[in-house]
Structures are given as C-alpha cells and as structure tokens.
Amino acid sequence: MIAIVCNDAGSSEIISSWILTQNEEYLLVLDGPAVQIFSRKINNIKTHTLDNALKKADWLVTGTSIISSLEIDAIAKSKLLNIKSDTFLDHWANYPERFVKNNNQIYPDELWVGDSYAYNIAKKIFPKIKVIFQENAYFKSIQTASKILKSKIRYDKQNEY
C-alpha cells in the first residue's frame, strides 16, 4: 500500500499521473492545490490523515514544497516507522530548501527526477541520496493528448467541405 502525500501543483500533476500507471493500492494525503488536481484525474478520491495513511502503508511517495510542511512531515514520520520514502522532484530549483524543517535536514530514501537536467542537479546537491530517473507520467500524458489532438485536426481538415 502506497501513501501518496502532495500539496503543490507541480508534483501533484506528476504523481497523480504516475498513480494511473501503477497497479498498486494507495492512500491519498492531500492539501492545497493537490486536492483539485487529484480530483480532476481520479474519480471519487478519498483522502486520509497522514497518521492513518502511514499506519497502513509500506511505501511513501511525496512531492515537495517550500511553503507547506506536509511532505517533509510525511518523510520524517516514515523514517520513524521504517517505511521506504521516495520524493519526486518536479522542478530544477531550490532543492535543499525543500528538505529542511526547523533547521533539520530530512531526506527521503530516494529522489525521483523526470529529466537528465534534474538528475544532474540532484546528484550534485545530494551525493549521498539515491537519485532515480523516473519517467514523468504527466509529460507523457501531455504528449499523448497532443498526438491525439494533432491526429484529430488532420482528420478534420481532410474531411472539410
């Protein structure tokens, strides 16, 4: 069972798209823009408190935030409960600040990135943390939608009167 913890929009777009590619059960812990993003993509979402989700989970996947402490609280609690934690970095800036709370650095077991630029930055900034290239399911869904739209436009133009 995966506990999914998100607040910010960027990571919510990526992780909600990633969930749709997985054959795993998950428990959602959402706040901020994440609630609307997950609701748009997944029918009848049910959210949980962080504590309840982590009691049932054996794996944690989070986004990151500078403003919200939701994700970093989840990582800290997962460490206490011996739950594997992975965080998807959805951008290329402010990496260290996203893992600090009360002047303490709190890191997941793995960092996931969706492109080589983010991979190189994360490897340089976090040499002791495993950095994994994870296909960005959100980008892939946009590419697929774009191909479908282009195909439809070509079809419509061919059938114009």
Side-chain angles (χ1 to χ4, degrees):
M1 179 80 67
I2 308 171
I4 303 291
V5 179
C6 290
N7 178 80
D8 285 15
S11 57
S12 295
E13 289 287 5
I14 294 168
I15 294 171
S16 60
S17 294
W18 175 79
I19 284 175
L20 297 172
T21 69
Q22 302 302 301
N23 191 21
E24 300 271 347
E25 292 186 50
Y26 54 86
L27 301 166
L28 299 174
V29 180
L30 307 173
D31 201 8
V35 176
Q36 183 179 10
I37 290 166
F38 277 79
S39 295
R40 176 173 34 89
K41 294 182 180 183
I42 301 168
N43 293 330
N44 303 315
I45 67 165
K46 181 179 178 189
T47 59
H48 302 267
T49 66
L50 178 57
D51 288 336
N52 286 339
L54 290 177
K55 283 180 189 174
K56 298 174 185 174
D58 53 14
W59 181 16
L60 171 68
V61 174
T62 76
T64 64
S65 181
I66 291 179
I67 297 170
S68 171
S69 67
L70 179 63
E71 293 96 334
I72 202 162
D73 290 343
I75 295 167
K77 289 181 179 190
S78 74
K79 299 278 182 209
L80 295 173
L81 297 169
N82 268 344
I83 298 171
K84 181 183 187 281
S85 60
D86 299 327
T87 296
F88 207 115
L89 296 171
D90 63 297
H91 49 77
W92 303 298
N94 304 315
Y95 286 179
E97 296 86 348
R98 293 174 181 271
F99 298 103
V100 176
K101 183 172 181 182
N102 299 329
N103 294 321
N104 293 314
Q105 296 174 326
I106 303 168
Y107 299 116
D109 298 312
E110 293 180 358
L111 295 170
W112 292 354
V113 295
D115 62 76
S116 60
Y117 187 68
Y119 181 87
N120 292 333
I121 294 171
K123 288 293 282 185
K124 182 179 179 182
I125 293 174
F126 306 112
K128 295 181 181 180
I129 300 174
K130 189 173 187 177
V131 179
I132 304 290
F133 178 82
Q134 182 74 253
E135 184 174 58
N136 186 322
Y138 177 56
F139 287 165
K140 189 168 183 155
S141 69
I142 291 171
Q143 289 171 334
T144 300
S146 175
K147 287 178 186 174
I148 291 169
L149 182 59
K150 285 178 185 175
S151 176
K152 181 177 175 4
I153 290 169
R154 278 193 298 272
Y155 176 80
D156 288 347
K157 284 186 176 184
Q158 289 172 353
N159 294 309
E160 286 180 348
Y161 290 86

PDB file of all heavy atoms in Angstrom, residues 1 3 24 57-58 67 72-73 75 82-83 86 96-97 100 106 118-119 125 127 132 151-152:
ATOM      1  N   MET A   1       0.862  -1.179   0.000  1.00  0.00           N
ATOM      2  CA  MET A   1       0.000   0.000   0.000  1.00  0.00           C
ATOM      3  C   MET A   1       0.906   1.239   0.000  1.00  0.00           C
ATOM      4  O   MET A   1       1.823   1.340   0.802  1.00  0.00           O
ATOM      5  CB  MET A   1      -0.871  -0.016   1.245  1.00  0.00           C
ATOM      6  CG  MET A   1      -1.797   1.146   1.398  1.00  0.00           C
ATOM      7  SD  MET A   1      -3.301   1.086   0.445  1.00  0.00           S
ATOM      8  CE  MET A   1      -4.150  -0.275   1.192  1.00  0.00           C
ATOM      9  N   ALA A   3       1.334   5.275   0.462  1.00  0.00           N
ATOM     10  CA  ALA A   3       0.813   6.549   0.956  1.00  0.00           C
ATOM     11  C   ALA A   3       1.336   7.618  -0.005  1.00  0.00           C
ATOM     12  O   ALA A   3       2.540   7.730  -0.223  1.00  0.00           O
ATOM     13  CB  ALA A   3       1.291   6.828   2.374  1.00  0.00           C
ATOM     14  N   GLU A  24      -1.175  -0.575  -8.030  1.00  0.00           N
ATOM     15  CA  GLU A  24      -0.976  -0.621  -6.579  1.00  0.00           C
ATOM     16  C   GLU A  24      -2.136   0.094  -5.896  1.00  0.00           C
ATOM     17  O   GLU A  24      -2.720   1.022  -6.452  1.00  0.00           O
ATOM     18  CB  GLU A  24       0.315   0.102  -6.182  1.00  0.00           C
ATOM     19  CG  GLU A  24       1.577  -0.456  -6.779  1.00  0.00           C
ATOM     20  CD  GLU A  24       2.203  -1.536  -5.940  1.00  0.00           C
ATOM     21  OE1 GLU A  24       1.808  -1.697  -4.766  1.00  0.00           O
ATOM     22  OE2 GLU A  24       3.092  -2.230  -6.464  1.00  0.00           O
ATOM     23  N   ALA A  57       0.454   1.961   5.303  1.00  0.00           N
ATOM     24  CA  ALA A  57       1.343   1.955   4.138  1.00  0.00           C
ATOM     25  C   ALA A  57       2.660   1.231   4.411  1.00  0.00           C
ATOM     26  O   ALA A  57       3.120   1.154   5.550  1.00  0.00           O
ATOM     27  CB  ALA A  57       1.630   3.388   3.712  1.00  0.00           C
ATOM     28  N   ASP A  58       3.236   0.740   3.318  1.00  0.00           N
ATOM     29  CA  ASP A  58       4.591   0.197   3.403  1.00  0.00           C
ATOM     30  C   ASP A  58       5.534   0.950   2.452  1.00  0.00           C
ATOM     31  O   ASP A  58       6.687   0.577   2.277  1.00  0.00           O
ATOM     32  CB  ASP A  58       4.619  -1.302   3.116  1.00  0.00           C
ATOM     33  CG  ASP A  58       3.949  -1.685   1.809  1.00  0.00           C
ATOM     34  OD1 ASP A  58       3.680  -0.788   0.989  1.00  0.00           O
ATOM     35  OD2 ASP A  58       3.688  -2.875   1.620  1.00  0.00           O
ATOM     36  N   ILE A  67       6.587  26.012   0.972  1.00  0.00           N
ATOM     37  CA  ILE A  67       5.620  26.653   1.864  1.00  0.00           C
ATOM     38  C   ILE A  67       4.976  25.653   2.819  1.00  0.00           C
ATOM     39  O   ILE A  67       4.914  25.877   4.020  1.00  0.00           O
ATOM     40  CB  ILE A  67       4.541  27.391   1.043  1.00  0.00           C
ATOM     41  CG1 ILE A  67       5.213  28.501   0.232  1.00  0.00           C
ATOM     42  CG2 ILE A  67       3.463  27.948   1.929  1.00  0.00           C
ATOM     43  CD1 ILE A  67       4.323  29.157  -0.790  1.00  0.00           C
ATOM     44  N   ILE A  72       7.361  17.037   4.025  1.00  0.00           N
ATOM     45  CA  ILE A  72       8.518  16.790   4.886  1.00  0.00           C
ATOM     46  C   ILE A  72       8.099  16.126   6.205  1.00  0.00           C
ATOM     47  O   ILE A  72       8.810  15.268   6.735  1.00  0.00           O
ATOM     48  CB  ILE A  72       9.344  18.084   5.104  1.00  0.00           C
ATOM     49  CG1 ILE A  72      10.766  17.711   5.512  1.00  0.00           C
ATOM     50  CG2 ILE A  72       8.706  19.017   6.076  1.00  0.00           C
ATOM     51  CD1 ILE A  72      11.759  18.830   5.326  1.00  0.00           C
ATOM     52  N   ASP A  73       6.920  16.465   6.705  1.00  0.00           N
ATOM     53  CA  ASP A  73       6.391  15.770   7.890  1.00  0.00           C
ATOM     54  C   ASP A  73       6.174  14.293   7.587  1.00  0.00           C
ATOM     55  O   ASP A  73       6.464  13.421   8.412  1.00  0.00           O
ATOM     56  CB  ASP A  73       5.074  16.397   8.355  1.00  0.00           C
ATOM     57  CG  ASP A  73       5.256  17.780   8.953  1.00  0.00           C
ATOM     58  OD1 ASP A  73       6.399  18.149   9.309  1.00  0.00           O
ATOM     59  OD2 ASP A  73       4.245  18.513   9.048  1.00  0.00           O
ATOM     60  N   ILE A  75       7.781  12.476   5.336  1.00  0.00           N
ATOM     61  CA  ILE A  75       9.090  11.818   5.240  1.00  0.00           C
ATOM     62  C   ILE A  75       9.649  11.546   6.639  1.00  0.00           C
ATOM     63  O   ILE A  75      10.127  10.444   6.919  1.00  0.00           O
ATOM     64  CB  ILE A  75      10.072  12.666   4.405  1.00  0.00           C
ATOM     65  CG1 ILE A  75       9.588  12.761   2.955  1.00  0.00           C
ATOM     66  CG2 ILE A  75      11.482  12.083   4.468  1.00  0.00           C
ATOM     67  CD1 ILE A  75      10.289  13.817   2.125  1.00  0.00           C
ATOM     68  N   ASN A  82       9.911   3.173   9.716  1.00  0.00           N
ATOM     69  CA  ASN A  82      10.649   2.290   8.808  1.00  0.00           C
ATOM     70  C   ASN A  82       9.912   2.033   7.490  1.00  0.00           C
ATOM     71  O   ASN A  82       9.880   0.913   6.995  1.00  0.00           O
ATOM     72  CB  ASN A  82      10.998   0.961   9.464  1.00  0.00           C
ATOM     73  CG  ASN A  82      12.351   0.994  10.119  1.00  0.00           C
ATOM     74  OD1 ASN A  82      13.153   1.873   9.844  1.00  0.00           O
ATOM     75  ND2 ASN A  82      12.598   0.034  10.974  1.00  0.00           N
ATOM     76  N   ILE A  83       9.313   3.078   6.946  1.00  0.00           N
ATOM     77  CA  ILE A  83       8.605   2.997   5.669  1.00  0.00           C
ATOM     78  C   ILE A  83       9.500   3.629   4.606  1.00  0.00           C
ATOM     79  O   ILE A  83       9.990   4.750   4.788  1.00  0.00           O
ATOM     80  CB  ILE A  83       7.249   3.734   5.735  1.00  0.00           C
ATOM     81  CG1 ILE A  83       6.341   3.079   6.767  1.00  0.00           C
ATOM     82  CG2 ILE A  83       6.589   3.785   4.365  1.00  0.00           C
ATOM     83  CD1 ILE A  83       5.065   3.847   7.056  1.00  0.00           C
ATOM     84  N   ASP A  86      10.052   7.867  -1.142  1.00  0.00           N
ATOM     85  CA  ASP A  86      10.560   8.405  -2.399  1.00  0.00           C
ATOM     86  C   ASP A  86       9.893   9.748  -2.643  1.00  0.00           C
ATOM     87  O   ASP A  86       8.695   9.906  -2.386  1.00  0.00           O
ATOM     88  CB  ASP A  86      10.220   7.475  -3.571  1.00  0.00           C
ATOM     89  CG  ASP A  86      10.837   6.091  -3.415  1.00  0.00           C
ATOM     90  OD1 ASP A  86      11.932   5.984  -2.846  1.00  0.00           O
ATOM     91  OD2 ASP A  86      10.223   5.119  -3.883  1.00  0.00           O
ATOM     92  N   PRO A  96      17.597  22.067  -1.873  1.00  0.00           N
ATOM     93  CA  PRO A  96      17.907  21.895  -0.438  1.00  0.00           C
ATOM     94  C   PRO A  96      16.820  22.443   0.493  1.00  0.00           C
ATOM     95  O   PRO A  96      16.484  21.804   1.500  1.00  0.00           O
ATOM     96  CB  PRO A  96      19.213  22.680  -0.251  1.00  0.00           C
ATOM     97  CG  PRO A  96      19.824  22.739  -1.602  1.00  0.00           C
ATOM     98  CD  PRO A  96      18.670  22.795  -2.569  1.00  0.00           C
ATOM     99  N   GLU A  97      16.232  23.587   0.126  1.00  0.00           N
ATOM    100  CA  GLU A  97      15.225  24.212   0.983  1.00  0.00           C
ATOM    101  C   GLU A  97      13.977  23.355   1.146  1.00  0.00           C
ATOM    102  O   GLU A  97      13.236  23.505   2.120  1.00  0.00           O
ATOM    103  CB  GLU A  97      14.811  25.583   0.419  1.00  0.00           C
ATOM    104  CG  GLU A  97      15.919  26.606   0.388  1.00  0.00           C
ATOM    105  CD  GLU A  97      16.788  26.558  -0.866  1.00  0.00           C
ATOM    106  OE1 GLU A  97      16.711  25.589  -1.648  1.00  0.00           O
ATOM    107  OE2 GLU A  97      17.574  27.496  -1.056  1.00  0.00           O
ATOM    108  N   VAL A 100      14.190  20.905   4.478  1.00  0.00           N
ATOM    109  CA  VAL A 100      14.606  21.458   5.772  1.00  0.00           C
ATOM    110  C   VAL A 100      13.377  21.869   6.563  1.00  0.00           C
ATOM    111  O   VAL A 100      12.484  22.538   6.052  1.00  0.00           O
ATOM    112  CB  VAL A 100      15.544  22.681   5.591  1.00  0.00           C
ATOM    113  CG1 VAL A 100      15.878  23.308   6.934  1.00  0.00           C
ATOM    114  CG2 VAL A 100      16.809  22.284   4.859  1.00  0.00           C
ATOM    115  N   ILE A 106      15.798  16.707   6.362  1.00  0.00           N
ATOM    116  CA  ILE A 106      15.024  15.462   6.382  1.00  0.00           C
ATOM    117  C   ILE A 106      14.880  14.998   4.943  1.00  0.00           C
ATOM    118  O   ILE A 106      14.173  15.629   4.151  1.00  0.00           O
ATOM    119  CB  ILE A 106      13.646  15.669   7.041  1.00  0.00           C
ATOM    120  CG1 ILE A 106      13.821  16.227   8.455  1.00  0.00           C
ATOM    121  CG2 ILE A 106      12.858  14.363   7.048  1.00  0.00           C
ATOM    122  CD1 ILE A 106      12.553  16.733   9.088  1.00  0.00           C
ATOM    123  N   ALA A 118      17.488  17.639 -14.228  1.00  0.00           N
ATOM    124  CA  ALA A 118      17.159  17.483 -12.805  1.00  0.00           C
ATOM    125  C   ALA A 118      18.029  16.406 -12.165  1.00  0.00           C
ATOM    126  O   ALA A 118      18.453  16.540 -11.018  1.00  0.00           O
ATOM    127  CB  ALA A 118      15.679  17.151 -12.647  1.00  0.00           C
ATOM    128  N   TYR A 119      18.292  15.334 -12.918  1.00  0.00           N
ATOM    129  CA  TYR A 119      19.139  14.249 -12.408  1.00  0.00           C
ATOM    130  C   TYR A 119      20.520  14.781 -12.037  1.00  0.00           C
ATOM    131  O   TYR A 119      21.026  14.523 -10.941  1.00  0.00           O
ATOM    132  CB  TYR A 119      19.246  13.145 -13.465  1.00  0.00           C
ATOM    133  CG  TYR A 119      20.085  11.976 -13.028  1.00  0.00           C
ATOM    134  CD1 TYR A 119      19.520  10.921 -12.318  1.00  0.00           C
ATOM    135  CD2 TYR A 119      21.437  11.909 -13.326  1.00  0.00           C
ATOM    136  CE1 TYR A 119      20.288   9.837 -11.905  1.00  0.00           C
ATOM    137  CE2 TYR A 119      22.208  10.841 -12.927  1.00  0.00           C
ATOM    138  CZ  TYR A 119      21.624   9.799 -12.223  1.00  0.00           C
ATOM    139  OH  TYR A 119      22.394   8.731 -11.817  1.00  0.00           O
ATOM    140  N   ILE A 125      23.816  18.018  -5.713  1.00  0.00           N
ATOM    141  CA  ILE A 125      23.398  18.587  -4.433  1.00  0.00           C
ATOM    142  C   ILE A 125      23.260  17.522  -3.343  1.00  0.00           C
ATOM    143  O   ILE A 125      23.563  17.778  -2.184  1.00  0.00           O
ATOM    144  CB  ILE A 125      22.069  19.364  -4.602  1.00  0.00           C
ATOM    145  CG1 ILE A 125      22.314  20.595  -5.470  1.00  0.00           C
ATOM    146  CG2 ILE A 125      21.490  19.777  -3.252  1.00  0.00           C
ATOM    147  CD1 ILE A 125      21.058  21.359  -5.828  1.00  0.00           C
ATOM    148  N   PRO A 127      24.725  14.072  -2.946  1.00  0.00           N
ATOM    149  CA  PRO A 127      25.565  12.943  -3.366  1.00  0.00           C
ATOM    150  C   PRO A 127      25.332  11.645  -2.573  1.00  0.00           C
ATOM    151  O   PRO A 127      25.640  10.566  -3.064  1.00  0.00           O
ATOM    152  CB  PRO A 127      26.987  13.460  -3.162  1.00  0.00           C
ATOM    153  CG  PRO A 127      26.867  14.561  -2.168  1.00  0.00           C
ATOM    154  CD  PRO A 127      25.503  15.162  -2.380  1.00  0.00           C
ATOM    155  N   ILE A 132      16.993   8.571  -8.831  1.00  0.00           N
ATOM    156  CA  ILE A 132      16.461   7.655  -9.834  1.00  0.00           C
ATOM    157  C   ILE A 132      15.756   8.445 -10.929  1.00  0.00           C
ATOM    158  O   ILE A 132      14.951   9.334 -10.640  1.00  0.00           O
ATOM    159  CB  ILE A 132      15.414   6.701  -9.189  1.00  0.00           C
ATOM    160  CG1 ILE A 132      15.997   5.943  -8.017  1.00  0.00           C
ATOM    161  CG2 ILE A 132      14.799   5.775 -10.232  1.00  0.00           C
ATOM    162  CD1 ILE A 132      17.005   4.906  -8.379  1.00  0.00           C
ATOM    163  N   SER A 151      -3.776  14.481 -34.553  1.00  0.00           N
ATOM    164  CA  SER A 151      -4.398  13.497 -35.438  1.00  0.00           C
ATOM    165  C   SER A 151      -5.838  13.908 -35.763  1.00  0.00           C
ATOM    166  O   SER A 151      -6.274  13.817 -36.912  1.00  0.00           O
ATOM    167  CB  SER A 151      -4.375  12.120 -34.778  1.00  0.00           C
ATOM    168  OG  SER A 151      -5.046  11.193 -35.582  1.00  0.00           O
ATOM    169  N   LYS A 152      -6.558  14.375 -34.745  1.00  0.00           N
ATOM    170  CA  LYS A 152      -7.948  14.806 -34.950  1.00  0.00           C
ATOM    171  C   LYS A 152      -7.999  16.025 -35.874  1.00  0.00           C
ATOM    172  O   LYS A 152      -8.843  16.097 -36.758  1.00  0.00           O
ATOM    173  CB  LYS A 152      -8.609  15.129 -33.612  1.00  0.00           C
ATOM    174  CG  LYS A 152     -10.060  15.571 -33.765  1.00  0.00           C
ATOM    175  CD  LYS A 152     -10.719  15.809 -32.447  1.00  0.00           C
ATOM    176  CE  LYS A 152     -12.102  16.354 -32.502  1.00  0.00           C
ATOM    177  NZ  LYS A 152     -12.768  16.555 -33.734  1.00  0.00           N
TER     178      LYS A 152
END
